[in-house]
Amino acid sequence: QNEKLISMVQEVLDEWKGISPSNFTLEKLGGCSNQIYKVFLKKEVETTARRQVLLRIKKEDGTVDMKKEKIVFDILSNLGISPKKLGEKDNYRVEEYIDGRTLTVFEVR
């Protein structure tokens, strides 16, 4: 499973192509309408490539209109007010990883 997820990232992120899957670690972050993973290079790997990304695997469960979500994300990413989109395929997207936490309902209000 982990190798498949890493290969998905490597498929759209050129700077990680050729790096052995054993040099990566995955952390499942959850998600309501997506499966979300933090994928990062192990500390001992020497490279100038970025160290971590977010892998967002889309779930077509009807809770979110994925076409609209893609349009909104692309606009926000291009404006620089959301994580950068690093690459995508039909069923997943690789994004810049920004360290932080999920806001609570009360904080969003």
Side-chain angles (χ1 to χ4, degrees), residues 72-99:
V72 170
F73 183 85
D74 287 347
I75 291 169
L76 296 175
S77 180
N78 289 335
L79 290 172
I81 55 177
S82 75
K84 270 186 202 160
K85 179 174 67 176
L86 303 174
E88 72 180 328
K89 294 288 184 178
D90 287 341
N91 64 329
Y92 69 93
R93 178 172 66 227
V94 177
E95 304 169 12
E96 167 187 37
Y97 179 80
I98 299 174
D99 198 24

Side-chain angles (χ1 to χ4, degrees), residues 11-36:
E11 191 174 355
V12 298
L13 192 62
D14 289 339
E15 63 191 276
W16 279 11
K17 287 182 179 168
I19 300 174
S20 169
S22 64
N23 288 317
F24 294 93
T25 303
L26 280 98
E27 178 183 341
K28 187 169 172 111
L29 300 178
C32 294
S33 60
N34 301 281
Q35 293 174 354
I36 302 172

